[in-house]
Amino acid sequence: MLTDFCTAFGAKAAGLRWPAEGPAVLLAQTAVMPNPPFQSPLQISGQPAGSFWADVPGDSDRNFLQLAANAVANSPALTRFLGPVAEQARIAQRLEDAARVAGRVAHDFDNVFQGVTGFASLALDQLPPNTPAHQNVREADSAARHGMKFCAQLHQLSRGGQAKPLPAGVSNALAREVARLVNTAPNVRIESEVAADLPAVAIEGGGLQMILGHLLDNAVEASPKDGLVQLTARLVELAPADLAGFLGRPATGPHVEVRIADSGPGLPDEARRRVFVEPFFTTKFRHRGLSLAVVYRMLYAHRGGVQVDAAPGRGTTIRVVFPLAAARVPALEAGRSSGGSVK
């Protein structure tokens, strides 16, 4: 569309940005242009305004260019492209609002729980062991420490929207998480197939391991005793048609893909739609429903994506893609590029 505009008006370059203010969710341009001679707001029906620019000859008819910019804003092509992008932006904003409140609440409760655990520790040192008073204080201390773990999850949700695109290795992060689960969940078998020499991805190591850890924890917890979790990681190429199936903000091009398939009961359609984008939504007893919301926020911030394939009775497969840290990437293995949806 932008190339056609340049051809029609003799422009050297053109571009558009949505929204005009704040972080760009959609940015398309034929070339980088710091101070274009023609700039116009994009009034998009039902959406915040965007901006349109073009490097045009000085004698161009500005009124006609404005009409052309308005035509771009209302074009079916932009509407089709912007629809899912705008929906992702609304989801991200809703989670951002929830995360802001969660961070404030967690900070206040941290102070409360630290006071409780501090005085409980002093009391336990002074009370005789194996007495009712000692046992009661120990139970209170244990409850407060569980509360501190919940606060830690709230902090993860609060900070998950901060992008830290430092390079990290998926293979190493997966190896650490699998080793942890072998010890903590020995009744679930984990089969792992990780391609050799995977390139680094653009998310710092702690955040990468948190994402993979939360996803693997959910797969293990969903699987029955003696169940199976299958884990694969490979380099894929995302085509434009692939992007519509993802939650998050992946772009076209090479990514590292991780698939995690469990042997659990699967998810109904409503749960599948809500599980990543609604904090505190959970299908598990005694769970708080924060870990997958954290995963979504971190992937959105780092321009990654996640897909869910699940149906009652046939388990759940999570497909997550991470953008590469380096511009230069190795050639994809023949026949190993990705398809559109999770199989």
Side-chain angles (χ1 to χ4, degrees), residues 251-300:
T252 56
H255 289 69
V256 170
E257 174 200 83
V258 176
R259 291 188 188 224
I260 301 171
D262 65 51
S263 51
L267 292 171
D269 287 343
E270 181 181 1
R272 182 170 53 83
R273 288 192 298 267
R274 299 171 62 187
V275 69
F276 276 95
V277 299
E278 291 189 21
F280 306 109
F281 174 81
T282 181
T283 60
K284 300 175 184 176
F285 183 63
R286 297 194 180 194
H287 280 244
R288 300 178 181 91
L290 285 175
S291 63
L292 296 185
V294 171
V295 167
Y296 175 85
R297 290 204 76 214
M298 296 187 73
L299 287 172
Y300 188 88

Tab-separated table of all heavy atoms in Angstrom, residues 251-300:
chain	number	residue	atom	x	y	z
A	251	ALA	N	6.522	-10.453	14.786
A	251	ALA	CA	6.590	-9.920	13.428
A	251	ALA	C	6.993	-11.051	12.491
A	251	ALA	O	7.308	-12.164	12.929
A	251	ALA	CB	7.596	-8.769	13.359
A	252	THR	N	6.976	-10.785	11.203
A	252	THR	CA	7.456	-11.780	10.260
A	252	THR	C	8.969	-11.928	10.389
A	252	THR	O	9.658	-11.037	10.867
A	252	THR	CB	7.098	-11.373	8.821
A	252	THR	OG1	7.640	-10.070	8.563
A	252	THR	CG2	5.594	-11.336	8.629
A	253	GLY	N	9.459	-13.081	9.948
A	253	GLY	CA	10.894	-13.306	9.987
A	253	GLY	C	11.271	-14.456	10.906
A	253	GLY	O	10.415	-15.174	11.432
A	254	PRO	N	12.572	-14.643	11.125
A	254	PRO	CA	13.046	-15.788	11.900
A	254	PRO	C	12.808	-15.610	13.403
A	254	PRO	O	12.969	-14.522	13.940
A	254	PRO	CB	14.546	-15.827	11.579
A	254	PRO	CG	14.885	-14.416	11.217
A	254	PRO	CD	13.673	-13.843	10.560
A	255	HIS	N	12.427	-16.688	14.046
A	255	HIS	CA	12.201	-16.736	15.488
A	255	HIS	C	12.659	-18.099	16.010
A	255	HIS	O	12.742	-19.067	15.257
A	255	HIS	CB	10.718	-16.580	15.833
A	255	HIS	CG	10.159	-15.202	15.596
A	255	HIS	ND1	9.997	-14.681	14.333
A	255	HIS	CD2	9.719	-14.254	16.470
A	255	HIS	CE1	9.483	-13.468	14.427
A	255	HIS	NE2	9.304	-13.183	15.703
A	256	VAL	N	12.926	-18.147	17.304
A	256	VAL	CA	13.073	-19.436	17.975
A	256	VAL	C	11.708	-19.821	18.518
A	256	VAL	O	11.070	-19.055	19.235
A	256	VAL	CB	14.121	-19.390	19.099
A	256	VAL	CG1	14.071	-20.679	19.919
A	256	VAL	CG2	15.515	-19.197	18.513
A	257	GLU	N	11.257	-21.006	18.155
A	257	GLU	CA	9.955	-21.503	18.578
A	257	GLU	C	10.142	-22.603	19.625
A	257	GLU	O	10.954	-23.505	19.451
A	257	GLU	CB	9.197	-22.075	17.388
A	257	GLU	CG	7.878	-22.747	17.758
A	257	GLU	CD	7.400	-23.704	16.690
A	257	GLU	OE1	7.876	-24.868	16.672
A	257	GLU	OE2	6.580	-23.272	15.873
A	258	VAL	N	9.372	-22.512	20.705
A	258	VAL	CA	9.327	-23.559	21.731
A	258	VAL	C	7.896	-24.070	21.799
A	258	VAL	O	6.958	-23.286	21.928
A	258	VAL	CB	9.769	-23.031	23.108
A	258	VAL	CG1	9.625	-24.127	24.169
A	258	VAL	CG2	11.209	-22.526	23.055
A	259	ARG	N	7.735	-25.386	21.705
A	259	ARG	CA	6.416	-26.012	21.859
A	259	ARG	C	6.435	-26.890	23.100
A	259	ARG	O	7.360	-27.673	23.300
A	259	ARG	CB	6.049	-26.852	20.634
A	259	ARG	CG	5.767	-26.047	19.388
A	259	ARG	CD	5.215	-26.948	18.294
A	259	ARG	NE	5.116	-26.229	17.029
A	259	ARG	CZ	4.067	-26.307	16.219
A	259	ARG	NH1	3.035	-27.050	16.553
A	259	ARG	NH2	4.049	-25.630	15.079
A	260	ILE	N	5.386	-26.761	23.895
A	260	ILE	CA	5.246	-27.543	25.118
A	260	ILE	C	3.871	-28.208	25.074
A	260	ILE	O	2.846	-27.517	25.092
A	260	ILE	CB	5.379	-26.664	26.375
A	260	ILE	CG1	6.742	-25.954	26.383
A	260	ILE	CG2	5.194	-27.480	27.647
A	260	ILE	CD1	6.889	-24.903	27.467
A	261	ALA	N	3.861	-29.535	24.995
A	261	ALA	CA	2.614	-30.288	24.912
A	261	ALA	C	2.464	-31.160	26.145
A	261	ALA	O	3.378	-31.929	26.484
A	261	ALA	CB	2.598	-31.148	23.649
A	262	ASP	N	1.326	-31.040	26.845
A	262	ASP	CA	1.088	-31.870	28.027
A	262	ASP	C	0.055	-32.941	27.726
A	262	ASP	O	-0.606	-32.933	26.682
A	262	ASP	CB	0.668	-31.016	29.229
A	262	ASP	CG	-0.674	-30.330	29.041
A	262	ASP	OD1	-1.659	-31.006	28.689
A	262	ASP	OD2	-0.760	-29.105	29.277
A	263	SER	N	-0.099	-33.885	28.645
A	263	SER	CA	-1.058	-34.977	28.493
A	263	SER	C	-2.218	-34.814	29.460
A	263	SER	O	-2.798	-35.798	29.914
A	263	SER	CB	-0.359	-36.322	28.726
A	263	SER	OG	0.371	-36.306	29.952
A	264	GLY	N	-2.558	-33.570	29.771
A	264	GLY	CA	-3.623	-33.282	30.713
A	264	GLY	C	-4.998	-33.307	30.085
A	264	GLY	O	-5.180	-33.753	28.946
A	265	PRO	N	-5.986	-32.773	30.791
A	265	PRO	CA	-7.376	-32.841	30.321
A	265	PRO	C	-7.721	-31.828	29.240
A	265	PRO	O	-8.830	-31.847	28.714
A	265	PRO	CB	-8.181	-32.557	31.598
A	265	PRO	CG	-7.262	-31.702	32.430
A	265	PRO	CD	-5.878	-32.215	32.150
A	266	GLY	N	-6.816	-30.940	28.880
A	266	GLY	CA	-7.111	-29.919	27.886
A	266	GLY	C	-7.898	-28.762	28.476
A	266	GLY	O	-8.096	-28.669	29.688
A	267	LEU	N	-8.355	-27.868	27.606
A	267	LEU	CA	-9.079	-26.681	28.037
A	267	LEU	C	-10.317	-26.480	27.179
A	267	LEU	O	-10.258	-26.664	25.961
A	267	LEU	CB	-8.194	-25.424	27.904
A	267	LEU	CG	-6.985	-25.298	28.823
A	267	LEU	CD1	-6.140	-24.104	28.385
A	267	LEU	CD2	-7.415	-25.126	30.270
A	268	PRO	N	-11.429	-26.059	27.781
A	268	PRO	CA	-12.575	-25.654	26.962
A	268	PRO	C	-12.269	-24.343	26.237
A	268	PRO	O	-11.339	-23.617	26.595
A	268	PRO	CB	-13.703	-25.491	27.982
A	268	PRO	CG	-13.013	-25.229	29.279
A	268	PRO	CD	-11.714	-25.978	29.217
A	269	ASP	N	-13.065	-24.012	25.237
A	269	ASP	CA	-12.807	-22.831	24.415
A	269	ASP	C	-12.759	-21.547	25.243
A	269	ASP	O	-11.888	-20.694	25.030
A	269	ASP	CB	-13.877	-22.693	23.332
A	269	ASP	CG	-13.716	-23.735	22.229
A	269	ASP	OD1	-12.624	-24.323	22.151
A	269	ASP	OD2	-14.667	-23.941	21.473
A	270	GLU	N	-13.673	-21.395	26.189
A	270	GLU	CA	-13.697	-20.161	26.974
A	270	GLU	C	-12.424	-19.994	27.778
A	270	GLU	O	-11.832	-18.904	27.829
A	270	GLU	CB	-14.905	-20.139	27.910
A	270	GLU	CG	-14.994	-18.856	28.728
A	270	GLU	CD	-16.177	-18.846	29.679
A	270	GLU	OE1	-16.919	-19.838	29.724
A	270	GLU	OE2	-16.345	-17.841	30.386
A	271	ALA	N	-11.959	-21.072	28.410
A	271	ALA	CA	-10.724	-20.998	29.186
A	271	ALA	C	-9.540	-20.700	28.283
A	271	ALA	O	-8.644	-19.924	28.645
A	271	ALA	CB	-10.502	-22.302	29.939
A	272	ARG	N	-9.513	-21.292	27.100
A	272	ARG	CA	-8.404	-21.052	26.174
A	272	ARG	C	-8.328	-19.585	25.779
A	272	ARG	O	-7.243	-19.028	25.623
A	272	ARG	CB	-8.575	-21.941	24.936
A	272	ARG	CG	-7.473	-21.829	23.920
A	272	ARG	CD	-7.600	-22.900	22.856
A	272	ARG	NE	-8.915	-22.916	22.250
A	272	ARG	CZ	-9.282	-22.115	21.259
A	272	ARG	NH1	-8.436	-21.218	20.782
A	272	ARG	NH2	-10.492	-22.194	20.750
A	273	ARG	N	-9.492	-18.948	25.608
A	273	ARG	CA	-9.507	-17.530	25.237
A	273	ARG	C	-9.060	-16.630	26.387
A	273	ARG	O	-8.499	-15.559	26.153
A	273	ARG	CB	-10.915	-17.119	24.795
A	273	ARG	CG	-11.331	-17.666	23.440
A	273	ARG	CD	-12.600	-16.983	22.953
A	273	ARG	NE	-13.720	-17.221	23.853
A	273	ARG	CZ	-14.594	-18.220	23.718
A	273	ARG	NH1	-14.456	-19.074	22.720
A	273	ARG	NH2	-15.597	-18.364	24.560
A	274	ARG	N	-9.278	-17.040	27.619
A	274	ARG	CA	-9.081	-16.149	28.762
A	274	ARG	C	-7.767	-16.366	29.501
A	274	ARG	O	-7.301	-15.479	30.214
A	274	ARG	CB	-10.238	-16.320	29.750
A	274	ARG	CG	-11.593	-15.987	29.176
A	274	ARG	CD	-12.718	-16.371	30.125
A	274	ARG	NE	-12.638	-15.641	31.387
A	274	ARG	CZ	-13.420	-15.884	32.435
A	274	ARG	NH1	-14.324	-16.843	32.372
A	274	ARG	NH2	-13.291	-15.175	33.540
A	275	VAL	N	-7.156	-17.540	29.350
A	275	VAL	CA	-6.123	-17.959	30.284
A	275	VAL	C	-4.887	-17.059	30.275
A	275	VAL	O	-4.268	-16.837	31.318
A	275	VAL	CB	-5.759	-19.439	30.018
A	275	VAL	CG1	-5.040	-19.610	28.692
A	275	VAL	CG2	-4.950	-20.020	31.160
A	276	PHE	N	-4.503	-16.499	29.127
A	276	PHE	CA	-3.310	-15.657	29.077
A	276	PHE	C	-3.608	-14.180	29.297
A	276	PHE	O	-2.710	-13.437	29.666
A	276	PHE	CB	-2.594	-15.819	27.728
A	276	PHE	CG	-1.668	-16.998	27.668
A	276	PHE	CD1	-2.097	-18.206	27.152
A	276	PHE	CD2	-0.373	-16.905	28.146
A	276	PHE	CE1	-1.252	-19.298	27.103
A	276	PHE	CE2	0.490	-17.985	28.106
A	276	PHE	CZ	0.041	-19.190	27.581
A	277	VAL	N	-4.821	-13.761	29.056
A	277	VAL	CA	-5.091	-12.321	29.002
A	277	VAL	C	-5.932	-11.809	30.162
A	277	VAL	O	-6.224	-10.618	30.223
A	277	VAL	CB	-5.771	-11.946	27.664
A	277	VAL	CG1	-4.862	-12.291	26.500
A	277	VAL	CG2	-7.117	-12.641	27.509
A	278	GLU	N	-6.316	-12.671	31.090
A	278	GLU	CA	-7.077	-12.237	32.262
A	278	GLU	C	-6.330	-12.618	33.523
A	278	GLU	O	-6.273	-13.800	33.880
A	278	GLU	CB	-8.475	-12.854	32.279
A	278	GLU	CG	-9.395	-12.340	31.198
A	278	GLU	CD	-10.823	-12.812	31.383
A	278	GLU	OE1	-11.189	-13.185	32.534
A	278	GLU	OE2	-11.571	-12.819	30.403
A	279	PRO	N	-5.736	-11.648	34.214
A	279	PRO	CA	-5.092	-11.979	35.481
A	279	PRO	C	-6.123	-12.495	36.466
A	279	PRO	O	-7.266	-12.049	36.477
A	279	PRO	CB	-4.485	-10.645	35.940
A	279	PRO	CG	-5.213	-9.602	35.175
A	279	PRO	CD	-5.644	-10.220	33.889
A	280	PHE	N	-5.715	-13.470	37.264
A	280	PHE	CA	-6.534	-14.120	38.294
A	280	PHE	C	-7.534	-15.124	37.715
A	280	PHE	O	-8.283	-15.732	38.471
A	280	PHE	CB	-7.274	-13.096	39.174
A	280	PHE	CG	-6.363	-12.079	39.789
A	280	PHE	CD1	-6.371	-10.773	39.352
A	280	PHE	CD2	-5.466	-12.435	40.784
A	280	PHE	CE1	-5.520	-9.830	39.894
A	280	PHE	CE2	-4.602	-11.514	41.332
A	280	PHE	CZ	-4.629	-10.210	40.895
A	281	PHE	N	-7.543	-15.326	36.386
A	281	PHE	CA	-8.360	-16.406	35.837
A	281	PHE	C	-7.553	-17.697	35.894
A	281	PHE	O	-6.405	-17.750	35.457
A	281	PHE	CB	-8.759	-16.128	34.391
A	281	PHE	CG	-9.488	-17.292	33.760
A	281	PHE	CD1	-10.828	-17.479	34.006
A	281	PHE	CD2	-8.809	-18.202	32.957
A	281	PHE	CE1	-11.506	-18.554	33.439
A	281	PHE	CE2	-9.475	-19.282	32.389
A	281	PHE	CZ	-10.829	-19.452	32.636
A	282	THR	N	-8.139	-18.761	36.437
A	282	THR	CA	-7.444	-20.034	36.526
A	282	THR	C	-8.450	-21.164	36.510
A	282	THR	O	-9.606	-20.992	36.903
A	282	THR	CB	-6.579	-20.127	37.798
A	282	THR	OG1	-5.899	-21.391	37.823
A	282	THR	CG2	-7.426	-19.983	39.057
A	283	THR	N	-8.014	-22.313	36.024
A	283	THR	CA	-8.838	-23.514	36.045
A	283	THR	C	-8.375	-24.486	37.126
A	283	THR	O	-8.901	-25.586	37.231
A	283	THR	CB	-8.763	-24.228	34.682
A	283	THR	OG1	-7.394	-24.595	34.418
A	283	THR	CG2	-9.255	-23.326	33.570
A	284	LYS	N	-7.388	-24.071	37.929
A	284	LYS	CA	-6.786	-24.971	38.909
A	284	LYS	C	-7.107	-24.526	40.332
A	284	LYS	O	-7.045	-23.335	40.650
A	284	LYS	CB	-5.257	-25.015	38.720
A	284	LYS	CG	-4.842	-25.506	37.341
A	284	LYS	CD	-3.352	-25.404	37.164
A	284	LYS	CE	-2.936	-25.790	35.752
A	284	LYS	NZ	-1.490	-25.598	35.531
A	285	PHE	N	-7.424	-25.476	41.161
A	285	PHE	CA	-7.736	-25.208	42.556
A	285	PHE	C	-6.487	-24.700	43.276
A	285	PHE	O	-5.395	-25.223	43.089
A	285	PHE	CB	-8.244	-26.484	43.224
A	285	PHE	CG	-8.675	-26.301	44.652
A	285	PHE	CD1	-9.734	-25.462	44.965
A	285	PHE	CD2	-8.021	-26.962	45.670
A	285	PHE	CE1	-10.144	-25.285	46.275
A	285	PHE	CE2	-8.413	-26.796	46.983
A	285	PHE	CZ	-9.476	-25.957	47.294
A	286	ARG	N	-6.673	-23.663	44.079
A	286	ARG	CA	-5.595	-23.062	44.870
A	286	ARG	C	-4.534	-22.375	44.013
A	286	ARG	O	-3.410	-22.142	44.481
A	286	ARG	CB	-4.926	-24.100	45.787
A	286	ARG	CG	-5.871	-24.666	46.825
A	286	ARG	CD	-5.121	-25.408	47.901
A	286	ARG	NE	-6.047	-25.936	48.886
A	286	ARG	CZ	-5.683	-26.404	50.080
A	286	ARG	NH1	-4.406	-26.408	50.405
A	286	ARG	NH2	-6.573	-26.877	50.917
A	287	HIS	N	-4.834	-22.063	42.780
A	287	HIS	CA	-3.920	-21.265	41.962
A	287	HIS	C	-4.476	-19.861	41.816
A	287	HIS	O	-5.682	-19.642	41.930
A	287	HIS	CB	-3.708	-21.908	40.589
A	287	HIS	CG	-2.720	-23.022	40.607
A	287	HIS	ND1	-1.535	-22.985	39.923
A	287	HIS	CD2	-2.734	-24.212	41.250
A	287	HIS	CE1	-0.861	-24.098	40.130
A	287	HIS	NE2	-1.571	-24.872	40.933
A	288	ARG	N	-3.583	-18.913	41.552
A	288	ARG	CA	-4.003	-17.511	41.541
A	288	ARG	C	-4.160	-16.948	40.138
A	288	ARG	O	-4.578	-15.818	39.972
A	288	ARG	CB	-2.996	-16.681	42.336
A	288	ARG	CG	-2.898	-17.151	43.784
A	288	ARG	CD	-1.872	-16.364	44.576
A	288	ARG	NE	-1.776	-16.851	45.933
A	288	ARG	CZ	-0.930	-17.792	46.327
A	288	ARG	NH1	-0.119	-18.347	45.439
A	288	ARG	NH2	-0.887	-18.183	47.586
A	289	GLY	N	-3.769	-17.713	39.119
A	289	GLY	CA	-3.993	-17.269	37.758
A	289	GLY	C	-3.149	-16.090	37.320
A	289	GLY	O	-3.579	-15.291	36.498
A	290	LEU	N	-1.928	-15.983	37.851
A	290	LEU	CA	-1.067	-14.853	37.504
A	290	LEU	C	0.047	-15.225	36.538
A	290	LEU	O	0.509	-14.393	35.766
A	290	LEU	CB	-0.453	-14.241	38.771
A	290	LEU	CG	-1.388	-13.403	39.637
A	290	LEU	CD1	-0.667	-12.980	40.904
A	290	LEU	CD2	-1.866	-12.175	38.882
A	291	SER	N	0.501	-16.478	36.577
A	291	SER	CA	1.721	-16.822	35.838
A	291	SER	C	1.565	-16.626	34.337
A	291	SER	O	2.465	-16.104	33.672
A	291	SER	CB	2.142	-18.259	36.148
A	291	SER	OG	1.146	-19.180	35.725
A	292	LEU	N	0.439	-17.008	33.756
A	292	LEU	CA	0.288	-16.881	32.304
A	292	LEU	C	0.042	-15.439	31.883
A	292	LEU	O	0.417	-15.039	30.773
A	292	LEU	CB	-0.833	-17.791	31.809
A	292	LEU	CG	-0.573	-19.295	32.006
A	292	LEU	CD1	-1.674	-20.112	31.385
A	292	LEU	CD2	0.786	-19.700	31.446
A	293	ALA	N	-0.570	-14.635	32.756
A	293	ALA	CA	-0.679	-13.201	32.470
A	293	ALA	C	0.701	-12.557	32.457
A	293	ALA	O	0.981	-11.670	31.647
A	293	ALA	CB	-1.584	-12.519	33.499
A	294	VAL	N	1.582	-13.006	33.361
A	294	VAL	CA	2.971	-12.534	33.370
A	294	VAL	C	3.653	-12.911	32.051
A	294	VAL	O	4.354	-12.099	31.431
A	294	VAL	CB	3.741	-13.117	34.568
A	294	VAL	CG1	5.231	-12.804	34.461
A	294	VAL	CG2	3.189	-12.574	35.879
A	295	VAL	N	3.447	-14.161	31.610
A	295	VAL	CA	4.036	-14.625	30.349
A	295	VAL	C	3.580	-13.744	29.193
A	295	VAL	O	4.393	-13.305	28.362
A	295	VAL	CB	3.663	-16.103	30.101
A	295	VAL	CG1	3.999	-16.510	28.660
A	295	VAL	CG2	4.383	-17.007	31.081
A	296	TYR	N	2.282	-13.455	29.119
A	296	TYR	CA	1.764	-12.628	28.024
A	296	TYR	C	2.402	-11.242	28.044
A	296	TYR	O	2.825	-10.733	26.999
A	296	TYR	CB	0.242	-12.506	28.124
A	296	TYR	CG	-0.329	-11.559	27.096
A	296	TYR	CD1	-0.621	-12.001	25.814
A	296	TYR	CD2	-0.527	-10.214	27.384
A	296	TYR	CE1	-1.117	-11.130	24.851
A	296	TYR	CE2	-1.026	-9.335	26.435
A	296	TYR	CZ	-1.317	-9.804	25.174
A	296	TYR	OH	-1.795	-8.944	24.227
A	297	ARG	N	2.457	-10.609	29.225
A	297	ARG	CA	3.015	-9.251	29.295
A	297	ARG	C	4.472	-9.231	28.850
A	297	ARG	O	4.910	-8.323	28.139
A	297	ARG	CB	2.917	-8.697	30.717
A	297	ARG	CG	1.508	-8.372	31.172
A	297	ARG	CD	1.526	-7.323	32.270
A	297	ARG	NE	1.793	-6.007	31.725
A	297	ARG	CZ	2.473	-5.058	32.350
A	297	ARG	NH1	2.998	-5.281	33.539
A	297	ARG	NH2	2.648	-3.875	31.791
A	298	MET	N	5.237	-10.229	29.254
A	298	MET	CA	6.652	-10.257	28.888
A	298	MET	C	6.829	-10.506	27.392
A	298	MET	O	7.677	-9.883	26.741
A	298	MET	CB	7.384	-11.314	29.711
A	298	MET	CG	7.390	-11.021	31.203
A	298	MET	SD	8.426	-12.157	32.137
A	298	MET	CE	10.047	-11.582	31.657
A	299	LEU	N	6.026	-11.394	26.829
A	299	LEU	CA	6.121	-11.646	25.396
A	299	LEU	C	5.699	-10.416	24.601
A	299	LEU	O	6.330	-10.065	23.590
A	299	LEU	CB	5.252	-12.844	25.013
A	299	LEU	CG	5.777	-14.210	25.440
A	299	LEU	CD1	4.734	-15.283	25.187
A	299	LEU	CD2	7.080	-14.550	24.722
A	300	TYR	N	4.639	-9.747	25.028
A	300	TYR	CA	4.175	-8.549	24.329
A	300	TYR	C	5.252	-7.468	24.349
A	300	TYR	O	5.511	-6.810	23.337
A	300	TYR	CB	2.896	-8.037	24.981
A	300	TYR	CG	2.222	-6.910	24.221
A	300	TYR	CD1	1.305	-7.177	23.214
A	300	TYR	CD2	2.509	-5.582	24.509
A	300	TYR	CE1	0.693	-6.148	22.505
A	300	TYR	CE2	1.900	-4.548	23.810
A	300	TYR	CZ	0.992	-4.835	22.811
A	300	TYR	OH	0.402	-3.811	22.111
